[in-house]
Amino acid sequence: AMAAERALAMATCTAPVNIAVIKYWGKRDTDLILPINSSLSVTLHQDQLKTTTTAAASRDFTEDRLWLNGKEEDVGHPRVQACLREVRRLARKRRGGGEDTAALSLSYKIHIASENNFPTAAGLASSAAGYACLVSALARLYGVEEELSEVARRGSGSACRSMFGGFVQWQRGERPDGTDSLALQVAPETHWPELRVLVLVVSGEKKPVGSTAGMQTSVETSPLLKHRAEVVVPERLAQMMRHIRERDFEGFGQLAMRDSNQFHATCLDTFPPIFYLTDLSRHIIALAHRYNAHHGHTKVAYTFDAGPNAVIFALADTVAEFVEVVRRSFPPATNGDQFVQGLPVGSATLSQELVAAVVTEPLPGAVQYILHTKPGPGPQLVDDPSQHLLGADGLP
Ligand code: DP6
């Protein structure tokens, strides 16, 4: 039987980042990563932001090993181990208990290498893309095709939403074992072709408190978070699904802004309080509202996670003008030509009235660059073996 087992097997996948428009904040089970409320996100395109992961198993490996962006890391991390254990469990179940001799041995040690196509230092480094990619590559390696968002959820809650493209709901579920706490696609990325995303990458500072610790303190101390999870989110989730279905940008944008603001309000309601929004975030928020007020309706919408970068939603016909507004408001320090990255942005001339009403007090250098992207697909298998992040020797 041993002779039929493959000596080395390798699989490479890519996975996307997602940005929530109805935020996940708070767990009812910290071990299984079960949320106190459902959430909804937009998956961003992997041409601009993606993680690539290669997973390999070999009879010759003597220990499990993990490399992130070329640097060896601790493979014993409980969340990495939870993902590995769950994928192997699904593989065993699939094989019906009996050893399929043609299948990859589940007892072989594994090597994993993962890297991002964006600078980690920019604070875009997303555990969501990382765990979605890890689970996708492991599943491929072991030939598992089951519902995998439940496994990705064990890596990082928001990672389950990166298992699908387009518009994705993570339903909180009711069961204590988490088997109904899954991600579901609400609509594919093709559903809303005009929707665009601008990531305003801001200069400096790391986030003060990580999401995992921060949301736990919020669950323990914030009465606003309890009200949000029980009353506000169920209503908003239904509204948001309708706005997406109808491609209603005004409704979508207003609700995304309100939900981001309420998430940050629950952070302030946490004791001791947590501050993710900065003076610059507040400048960007005010700028978006002045811009919308000038046009008399919602043309741009902001959302902020547990870090200082701003994510802006807009329709394609608004991007060039708003990018010019951002450039005037945060004049680039040195990198004038690289200020806009990602999808091409056309040029726009701003009217005197627009400049006077919207560009109030410029802050030079405060925004490092703008990344222009759009909704995109879920995890992808990389077929080309030259793209593997591990060599035939199983090393990066
Ligand atoms: C503010 O998924 O990073 O981005 O489940 O503890 O790993 P863990 O937390 P994580 O939290 C994300 C919080 C958020 C909102 C969101 O993405 O919904």
Short mmCIF file of all heavy atoms in Angstrom, two decimals, residues 122-162:
data_model
loop_
_atom_site.label_atom_id
_atom_site.label_comp_id
_atom_site.label_asym_id
_atom_site.label_seq_id
_atom_site.Cartn_x
_atom_site.Cartn_y
_atom_site.Cartn_z
N ALA A 122 1.79 48.30 4.83
CA ALA A 122 0.72 49.26 4.55
C ALA A 122 -0.50 49.07 5.43
O ALA A 122 -1.45 49.84 5.36
CB ALA A 122 0.32 49.18 3.08
N GLY A 123 -0.50 48.01 6.27
CA GLY A 123 -1.64 47.79 7.15
C GLY A 123 -2.83 47.22 6.40
O GLY A 123 -3.96 47.24 6.86
N LEU A 124 -2.56 46.69 5.20
CA LEU A 124 -3.61 46.02 4.44
C LEU A 124 -3.51 44.53 4.67
O LEU A 124 -4.38 43.77 4.28
CB LEU A 124 -3.43 46.29 2.94
CG LEU A 124 -3.51 47.73 2.50
CD1 LEU A 124 -3.00 47.88 1.08
CD2 LEU A 124 -4.95 48.21 2.59
N ALA A 125 -2.41 44.11 5.27
CA ALA A 125 -2.15 42.71 5.52
C ALA A 125 -3.36 42.14 6.20
O ALA A 125 -3.69 42.51 7.32
CB ALA A 125 -0.92 42.55 6.39
N SER A 126 -4.01 41.26 5.52
CA SER A 126 -5.28 40.81 6.02
C SER A 126 -5.19 39.37 6.44
O SER A 126 -4.82 38.51 5.66
CB SER A 126 -6.31 41.00 4.92
OG SER A 126 -7.38 40.15 5.14
N SER A 127 -5.55 39.09 7.69
CA SER A 127 -5.59 37.70 8.13
C SER A 127 -6.72 36.99 7.39
O SER A 127 -6.70 35.78 7.22
CB SER A 127 -5.80 37.62 9.63
OG SER A 127 -6.98 38.29 10.00
N ALA A 128 -7.70 37.75 6.90
CA ALA A 128 -8.81 37.14 6.17
C ALA A 128 -8.31 36.45 4.90
O ALA A 128 -8.57 35.27 4.67
CB ALA A 128 -9.86 38.19 5.83
N ALA A 129 -7.56 37.18 4.08
CA ALA A 129 -7.02 36.59 2.86
C ALA A 129 -6.06 35.45 3.20
O ALA A 129 -6.05 34.40 2.54
CB ALA A 129 -6.31 37.65 2.02
N GLY A 130 -5.26 35.64 4.23
CA GLY A 130 -4.27 34.64 4.64
C GLY A 130 -4.90 33.30 5.01
O GLY A 130 -4.49 32.26 4.49
N TYR A 131 -5.91 33.33 5.88
CA TYR A 131 -6.53 32.06 6.30
C TYR A 131 -7.41 31.47 5.20
O TYR A 131 -7.48 30.25 5.05
CB TYR A 131 -7.31 32.25 7.60
CG TYR A 131 -6.40 32.24 8.81
CD1 TYR A 131 -6.14 33.40 9.52
CD2 TYR A 131 -5.78 31.07 9.24
CE1 TYR A 131 -5.29 33.40 10.63
CE2 TYR A 131 -4.94 31.04 10.33
CZ TYR A 131 -4.69 32.22 11.03
OH TYR A 131 -3.86 32.21 12.11
N ALA A 132 -8.08 32.32 4.42
CA ALA A 132 -8.88 31.80 3.31
C ALA A 132 -7.96 31.06 2.33
O ALA A 132 -8.31 30.01 1.78
CB ALA A 132 -9.62 32.93 2.60
N CYS A 133 -6.77 31.61 2.14
CA CYS A 133 -5.83 31.02 1.20
C CYS A 133 -5.24 29.73 1.75
O CYS A 133 -5.10 28.73 1.04
CB CYS A 133 -4.73 32.03 0.89
SG CYS A 133 -4.00 31.78 -0.73
N LEU A 134 -4.90 29.74 3.03
CA LEU A 134 -4.36 28.54 3.68
C LEU A 134 -5.35 27.39 3.55
O LEU A 134 -4.99 26.27 3.14
CB LEU A 134 -4.09 28.83 5.17
CG LEU A 134 -3.70 27.62 6.02
CD1 LEU A 134 -2.30 27.13 5.63
CD2 LEU A 134 -3.76 27.95 7.50
N VAL A 135 -6.61 27.66 3.87
CA VAL A 135 -7.63 26.61 3.84
C VAL A 135 -7.86 26.13 2.40
O VAL A 135 -8.00 24.93 2.15
CB VAL A 135 -8.94 27.12 4.50
CG1 VAL A 135 -10.10 26.17 4.24
CG2 VAL A 135 -8.72 27.32 5.99
N SER A 136 -7.86 27.06 1.44
CA SER A 136 -8.06 26.67 0.04
C SER A 136 -6.93 25.76 -0.44
O SER A 136 -7.17 24.75 -1.11
CB SER A 136 -8.12 27.91 -0.86
OG SER A 136 -9.17 28.74 -0.45
N ALA A 137 -5.69 26.12 -0.11
CA ALA A 137 -4.54 25.33 -0.56
C ALA A 137 -4.51 23.96 0.12
O ALA A 137 -4.26 22.94 -0.53
CB ALA A 137 -3.24 26.09 -0.29
N LEU A 138 -4.80 23.92 1.41
CA LEU A 138 -4.82 22.63 2.13
C LEU A 138 -5.93 21.73 1.59
O LEU A 138 -5.74 20.53 1.40
CB LEU A 138 -5.04 22.86 3.63
CG LEU A 138 -3.87 23.44 4.42
CD1 LEU A 138 -4.32 23.75 5.86
CD2 LEU A 138 -2.68 22.48 4.43
N ALA A 139 -7.09 22.33 1.32
CA ALA A 139 -8.23 21.56 0.81
C ALA A 139 -7.88 20.94 -0.53
O ALA A 139 -8.16 19.77 -0.81
CB ALA A 139 -9.46 22.45 0.68
N ARG A 140 -7.21 21.71 -1.35
CA ARG A 140 -6.80 21.23 -2.66
C ARG A 140 -5.77 20.09 -2.52
O ARG A 140 -5.84 19.08 -3.20
CB ARG A 140 -6.20 22.41 -3.44
CG ARG A 140 -5.83 22.08 -4.84
CD ARG A 140 -7.09 21.86 -5.67
NE ARG A 140 -6.74 21.18 -6.90
CZ ARG A 140 -7.57 21.00 -7.92
NH1 ARG A 140 -8.81 21.45 -7.84
NH2 ARG A 140 -7.18 20.38 -9.00
N LEU A 141 -4.84 20.30 -1.60
CA LEU A 141 -3.79 19.31 -1.36
C LEU A 141 -4.39 17.96 -0.98
O LEU A 141 -3.98 16.92 -1.48
CB LEU A 141 -2.87 19.81 -0.25
CG LEU A 141 -1.63 18.98 0.07
CD1 LEU A 141 -0.62 19.06 -1.07
CD2 LEU A 141 -0.99 19.46 1.37
N TYR A 142 -5.39 17.99 -0.11
CA TYR A 142 -5.99 16.75 0.39
C TYR A 142 -7.23 16.32 -0.40
O TYR A 142 -7.91 15.38 -0.03
CB TYR A 142 -6.36 16.90 1.87
CG TYR A 142 -5.16 17.01 2.79
CD1 TYR A 142 -4.94 18.16 3.54
CD2 TYR A 142 -4.25 15.96 2.90
CE1 TYR A 142 -3.84 18.25 4.39
CE2 TYR A 142 -3.15 16.05 3.73
CZ TYR A 142 -2.95 17.20 4.48
OH TYR A 142 -1.87 17.30 5.31
N GLY A 143 -7.57 17.06 -1.46
CA GLY A 143 -8.71 16.69 -2.28
C GLY A 143 -10.05 16.85 -1.60
O GLY A 143 -10.97 16.07 -1.81
N VAL A 144 -10.16 17.90 -0.77
CA VAL A 144 -11.43 18.16 -0.07
C VAL A 144 -12.21 19.23 -0.83
O VAL A 144 -11.63 20.22 -1.27
CB VAL A 144 -11.15 18.67 1.37
CG1 VAL A 144 -12.42 19.11 2.05
CG2 VAL A 144 -10.44 17.59 2.18
N GLU A 145 -13.50 19.01 -1.02
CA GLU A 145 -14.30 19.99 -1.77
C GLU A 145 -15.52 20.46 -0.99
O GLU A 145 -16.37 21.15 -1.52
CB GLU A 145 -14.74 19.39 -3.12
CG GLU A 145 -13.62 19.41 -4.14
CD GLU A 145 -13.87 18.46 -5.29
OE1 GLU A 145 -15.02 17.99 -5.45
OE2 GLU A 145 -12.91 18.17 -6.02
N GLU A 146 -15.61 20.07 0.26
CA GLU A 146 -16.75 20.42 1.10
C GLU A 146 -16.83 21.93 1.34
O GLU A 146 -15.96 22.69 0.96
CB GLU A 146 -16.63 19.74 2.46
CG GLU A 146 -17.15 18.32 2.54
CD GLU A 146 -16.28 17.28 1.88
OE1 GLU A 146 -15.17 17.62 1.41
OE2 GLU A 146 -16.73 16.12 1.81
N GLU A 147 -17.89 22.31 2.02
CA GLU A 147 -18.09 23.66 2.55
C GLU A 147 -16.86 24.03 3.40
O GLU A 147 -16.60 23.44 4.45
CB GLU A 147 -19.38 23.61 3.40
CG GLU A 147 -19.52 24.62 4.51
CD GLU A 147 -19.39 26.02 4.02
OE1 GLU A 147 -20.01 26.39 3.01
OE2 GLU A 147 -18.63 26.76 4.65
N LEU A 148 -16.10 25.00 2.94
CA LEU A 148 -14.83 25.31 3.59
C LEU A 148 -14.85 26.62 4.38
O LEU A 148 -13.91 26.92 5.10
CB LEU A 148 -13.71 25.37 2.55
CG LEU A 148 -13.39 24.04 1.88
CD1 LEU A 148 -12.48 24.25 0.67
CD2 LEU A 148 -12.74 23.06 2.87
N SER A 149 -15.94 27.41 4.25
CA SER A 149 -15.96 28.69 4.98
C SER A 149 -15.96 28.42 6.49
O SER A 149 -15.41 29.18 7.27
CB SER A 149 -17.16 29.54 4.56
OG SER A 149 -18.37 29.07 5.11
N GLU A 150 -16.55 27.28 6.87
CA GLU A 150 -16.59 26.90 8.28
C GLU A 150 -15.17 26.65 8.81
O GLU A 150 -14.89 26.90 9.98
CB GLU A 150 -17.42 25.62 8.39
CG GLU A 150 -18.07 25.43 9.71
CD GLU A 150 -18.70 24.03 9.84
OE1 GLU A 150 -19.24 23.49 8.84
OE2 GLU A 150 -18.62 23.48 10.95
N VAL A 151 -14.31 26.14 7.94
CA VAL A 151 -12.92 25.89 8.34
C VAL A 151 -12.14 27.20 8.37
O VAL A 151 -11.42 27.48 9.33
CB VAL A 151 -12.25 24.88 7.38
CG1 VAL A 151 -10.82 24.60 7.84
CG2 VAL A 151 -13.05 23.60 7.27
N ALA A 152 -12.32 28.03 7.34
CA ALA A 152 -11.61 29.32 7.29
C ALA A 152 -11.98 30.19 8.49
O ALA A 152 -11.15 30.94 9.01
CB ALA A 152 -11.94 30.05 5.98
N ARG A 153 -13.23 30.08 8.93
CA ARG A 153 -13.70 30.83 10.10
C ARG A 153 -12.86 30.54 11.34
O ARG A 153 -12.67 31.40 12.19
CB ARG A 153 -15.16 30.43 10.37
CG ARG A 153 -15.91 31.33 11.34
CD ARG A 153 -17.16 30.64 11.87
NE ARG A 153 -16.82 29.59 12.81
CZ ARG A 153 -17.36 28.37 12.82
NH1 ARG A 153 -18.30 28.03 11.95
NH2 ARG A 153 -16.97 27.48 13.72
N ARG A 154 -12.32 29.31 11.43
CA ARG A 154 -11.51 28.93 12.58
C ARG A 154 -10.14 29.62 12.58
O ARG A 154 -9.44 29.67 13.58
CB ARG A 154 -11.31 27.40 12.62
CG ARG A 154 -12.60 26.61 12.70
CD ARG A 154 -13.30 26.83 14.01
NE ARG A 154 -12.47 26.43 15.14
CZ ARG A 154 -12.41 25.19 15.65
NH1 ARG A 154 -13.18 24.25 15.13
NH2 ARG A 154 -11.62 24.91 16.68
N GLY A 155 -9.76 30.15 11.39
CA GLY A 155 -8.50 30.89 11.30
C GLY A 155 -8.69 32.33 11.75
O GLY A 155 -7.98 32.86 12.60
N SER A 156 -9.72 32.96 11.19
CA SER A 156 -10.08 34.32 11.53
C SER A 156 -11.53 34.47 11.10
O SER A 156 -11.90 34.01 10.02
CB SER A 156 -9.18 35.29 10.76
OG SER A 156 -9.34 36.61 11.23
N GLY A 157 -12.34 35.10 11.95
CA GLY A 157 -13.76 35.18 11.63
C GLY A 157 -14.00 35.72 10.23
O GLY A 157 -14.68 35.11 9.40
N SER A 158 -13.39 36.88 9.95
CA SER A 158 -13.63 37.53 8.67
C SER A 158 -13.10 36.71 7.49
O SER A 158 -13.50 36.95 6.35
CB SER A 158 -13.01 38.93 8.66
OG SER A 158 -11.64 38.86 8.97
N ALA A 159 -12.24 35.72 7.74
CA ALA A 159 -11.68 34.89 6.66
C ALA A 159 -12.77 34.06 5.97
O ALA A 159 -12.65 33.77 4.77
CB ALA A 159 -10.59 33.98 7.20
N CYS A 160 -13.83 33.71 6.68
CA CYS A 160 -14.86 32.87 6.05
C CYS A 160 -15.50 33.61 4.88
O CYS A 160 -15.91 33.00 3.90
CB CYS A 160 -15.88 32.37 7.06
SG CYS A 160 -17.04 33.60 7.67
N ARG A 161 -15.55 34.96 4.98
CA ARG A 161 -16.17 35.74 3.89
C ARG A 161 -15.26 35.83 2.67
O ARG A 161 -15.73 36.13 1.57
CB ARG A 161 -16.55 37.14 4.40
CG ARG A 161 -17.57 37.12 5.56
CD ARG A 161 -17.99 38.55 5.91
NE ARG A 161 -16.84 39.40 6.04
CZ ARG A 161 -16.51 40.14 7.10
NH1 ARG A 161 -17.30 40.17 8.17
NH2 ARG A 161 -15.43 40.87 7.10
N SER A 162 -13.95 35.60 2.84
CA SER A 162 -13.03 35.63 1.70
C SER A 162 -13.06 34.33 0.90
O SER A 162 -12.33 34.18 -0.06
CB SER A 162 -11.58 35.89 2.17
OG SER A 162 -11.36 37.29 2.34
#
